Amino acid sequence: MNGKHVDQIKKEIWQEYLERTPASLKHTQAAKNFMPGGDTRSIAFYTPYPFFAVEGKGSCLYDADGNKYIDFVNNMTSLVHGHAHPYVMDAIRKQTKKGITHGVPVEAQYKLAELICKRVPSVESLRFCNTGSEATMFCMRVARAFTGKEGFLKMDGGYHGGHDFVQINTTPDLATEDLPKAQATKGVPACTQTDVFLAPFNDLNTVERILKDKAEKIAAIIMEPMLGAGGGVPPQEGYLQGMRELADRYNVLLIFDEVISFRVHEGGLQAMADVKPDLTAFGKIIGGGFPIGAFGGRKDIMEMFDPNKPDSITHSGTFSGNAVTMAAGYANLEIYHQKDVDRINTLGKRLTEGFDGAFAKTGIQGGTRGIGSLAGIAFTDKVLKDSKDVVLSMIPYMELMQYLHLEMLNRGIFFLHRGMFTVSTPMTEIEIDKAIKVFEASLELLKPLAVKIQNQ
Ligand SMILES: Cc1ncc(COP(=O)(O)O)c(C=O)c1O
């Protein structure tokens, strides 16, 4: 353990970040003239300011000062093949020569739909939109139309995008010991709260309790099969099967948001767990790096969008199904088969085991969680079963996580500042072992801060 004072360690990390990234600071200052805080995407912001990227290549990102980072963010898990994969880029180039979006259907739409339907047994029919947020929104809309009910059961702390009816308890209710209370995000109308019921993740009893009482109001349960955005929490044994049974017993639909978790198996986490939801929302990796969303599921439900039918549900979107996104998405999935999934899942395991080893070696209390190529770190060795556990484990350690993030950036490793790491296919054991080494060295440097917090 080094003998430096905590404030001195923090100061040196901060100073080094500033010294390494003057061009990013200049960009930030210029951006602040035209964008609030110089930012356009909350999740990508961190203090003192994020580095500005100029190039992404394979597993690496290069910033405006020429610094190189191994990228474990991968645009919030979406770049499963890292940056500018030659096969995907080639498909994009070929398509852009023939136009980008045409205002009429193109073959590539049903080709990508076919590929996804063939991989995901619960998805018989599917439509494209432009974001994961739209995908969850249309899953919910069709669930209302199909069931004639308006309410939803959502996981406390679950994230499903930016639209109003899921911007309820995106951070969990920390105050209540009983049923979580609905709390809309700032700016979201309070009326959204009345029809959203909340249960902690991994808690079948609470779901049953709510359904017993409110099932006649609830169109569907909407949930990620793992809490991806909500902290990388895997489902406990039997939980997803239990949710399927409860949905059937109480006559509500089951919607899986696989915007993140689709990457952990060729057929999504639902295939890994062998559970069939009624509807699924997709996004991120199915667009080959371009903005995309898709929603699909049971044919009898999805038929409500069939424009040949009277009173069908309208779903448009100027860029929905555009030819470039379709080409990029198809190429991306064409080279992402189960063997590729297995390889990066194994690398994910190596990463989490390495991080656990680093916690043990440095004597800092902590642990990792996640599934396959998705991993999260927390400064606790307890099993985190829901979003409340995750947030409560994070609160005392915000400063430690912040400095760990900056120190690892200083050493060339980029991860999501809440402690999430995503493995991509261009990575090998070399990148994983480098991340583990840097993690261990950074933890060692920050040990005085960790000890200070743990003794408080
Ligand atoms: C689980 C989950 N659902 C939905 C979304 C929304 O997707 P998008 O950002 O493409 O709107 C996200 C985004 O991170 C997500 O993590």
Side-chain angles (χ1 to χ4, degrees):
M1 185 171 126
N2 71 59
K4 271 190 206 163
H5 191 267
V6 168
D7 290 340
Q8 183 64 21
I9 295 167
K10 285 180 358 192
K11 195 170 149 202
E12 283 176 13
I13 292 174
W14 193 272
Q15 198 56 37
E16 190 180 344
Y17 185 78
L18 299 188
E19 279 165 15
R20 292 174 79 253
T21 58
S24 290
L25 176 59
K26 227 167 139 191
H27 280 307
T28 302
Q29 283 159 344
K32 278 184 180 169
N33 292 324
F34 305 103
M35 297 158 77
D39 173 58
T40 193
R41 195 179 178 198
S42 307
I43 187 71
F45 181 80
Y46 59 85
T47 46
Y49 51 85
F51 71 80
F52 273 60
V54 290
E55 193 182 354
K57 219 170 163 186
S59 61
C60 292
L61 268 177
Y62 299 83
D63 75 8
D65 290 283
N67 296 305
K68 178 179 172 181
Y69 305 89
I70 302 176
D71 182 10
F72 284 91
V73 174
N74 286 296
N75 192 29
M76 317 306 152
T77 78
S78 67
L79 300 176
V80 76
H81 295 305
H83 298 273
H85 190 288
Y87 187 77
V88 181
M89 294 304 284
D90 196 40
I92 294 166
R93 263 191 300 271
K94 278 189 186 134
Q95 181 53 52
T96 51
K97 282 188 191 150
K98 295 188 272 180
I100 293 162
T101 182
H102 303 84
V104 288
V106 290
E107 183 184 358
Q109 293 172 349
Y110 71 80
K111 287 289 178 199
L112 182 55
E114 178 187 14
L115 192 155
I116 296 169
C117 289
K118 283 189 170 158
R119 287 190 186 181
V120 188
S122 72
V123 178
E124 296 173 319
S125 152
L126 165 133
R127 290 175 77 89
F128 292 106
C129 47
N130 300 291
T131 60
S133 300
E134 276 179 78
T136 58
M137 183 177 83
F138 279 105
C139 282
M140 291 166 76
R141 187 166 299 170
V142 73
R144 287 191 197 98
F146 188 78
T147 61
K149 300 189 273 183
E150 298 234 321
F152 287 91
L153 199 160
K154 173 187 175 289
M155 298 308 114
D156 194 26
Y159 181 76
H160 303 289
H163 58 99
D164 286 354
F165 279 89
V166 289
Q167 279 293 318
I168 312 285
N169 294 42
T170 50
T171 49
D173 178 358
L174 300 179
T176 331
E177 280 308 315
D178 197 29
L179 285 184
K181 264 175 66 183
Q183 177 72 52
T185 306
K186 212 175 265 180
V188 169
C191 64
T192 53
Q193 291 171 193
T194 44
D195 274 337
V196 179
F197 304 95
L198 296 142
F201 192 72
N202 274 326
D203 180 349
L204 290 170
N205 289 338
T206 300
V207 170
E208 174 143 38
R209 197 173 137 198
I210 294 169
L211 289 179
K212 246 184 198 160
D213 195 30
K214 305 282 186 210
E216 81 286 354
K217 285 186 166 198
I218 294 175
I221 299 166
I222 179 157
M223 62 182 294
E224 287 184 279
M226 69 183 284
L227 271 187
V233 178
Q236 288 173 346
E237 190 72 33
Y239 172 62
L240 297 176
Q241 285 79 1
M243 291 300 271
R244 176 70 272 174
E245 280 164 30
L246 287 172
D248 289 342
R249 190 176 325 144
Y250 289 94
N251 199 23
V252 302
L253 297 178
L254 182 62
I255 303 170
F256 276 0
D257 173 349
E258 292 238 41
V259 168
I260 288 183
S261 60
F262 185 54
R263 62 160 38 233
V264 305
H265 189 280
E266 200 181 47
L269 183 44
Q270 58 187 270
M272 198 185 234
D274 194 21
V275 174
K276 275 187 173 180
D278 300 293
L279 291 163
T280 302
F282 301 93
K284 302 210 193 262
I285 75 162
I286 67 162
F290 281 81
I292 196 166
F295 52 98
R298 276 167 46 188
K299 213 170 200 146
D300 58 331
I301 302 175
M302 289 302 291
E303 267 174 1
M304 297 198 87
F305 290 103
D306 181 348
N308 301 294
K309 298 208 159 147
D311 299 330
S312 62
I313 303 175
T314 301
H315 155 239
S316 282
T318 305
F319 297 102
S320 294
N322 75 78
V324 176
T325 302
M326 297 295 106
Y330 191 84
N332 210 53
L333 293 185
E334 253 190 317
I335 54 167
Y336 194 56
H337 285 290
Q338 194 55 45
K339 67 172 176 17
D340 309 296
V341 181
D342 289 342
R343 196 178 73 78
I344 59 169
N345 285 357
T346 305
L347 290 178
K349 189 161 179 273
R350 186 180 180 103
L351 189 71
T352 53
E353 285 172 359
F355 285 170
D356 284 338
F359 277 123
K361 266 195 215 160
T362 55
I364 295 175
Q365 182 182 291
T368 56
R369 61 193 184 278
I371 299 185
S373 56
L374 301 164
I377 51 166
F379 294 101
T380 175
D381 45 18
K382 287 199 198 112
V383 175
L384 305 175
K385 63 178 186 332
D386 60 27
S387 177
K388 190 172 171 177
D389 283 353
V390 173
V391 172
L392 288 176
S393 78
M394 278 164 67
I395 289 172
Y397 293 99
M398 300 287 226
E399 195 182 35
L400 180 57
M401 188 65 92
Q402 182 191 13
Y403 280 92
L404 178 70
H405 180 244
L406 286 183
E407 178 59 14
M408 287 185 70
L409 281 172
N410 288 341
R411 295 170 186 244
I413 300 292
F414 179 41
F415 67 96
L416 189 59
H417 46 90
R418 325 190 265 230
M420 296 300 295
F421 291 74
T422 307
V423 178
S424 63
T425 61
M427 290 181 181
T428 64
E429 284 78 4
I430 294 172
E431 286 76 15
I432 302 299
D433 292 350
K434 166 107 197 269
I436 296 166
K437 211 167 142 197
V438 165
F439 181 68
E440 189 181 321
S442 305
L443 275 187
E444 191 60 53
L445 176 69
L446 283 160
K447 194 166 176 174
L449 177 57
V451 170
K452 185 177 161 200
I453 296 168
Q454 282 170 354
N455 287 340
Q456 264 164 11

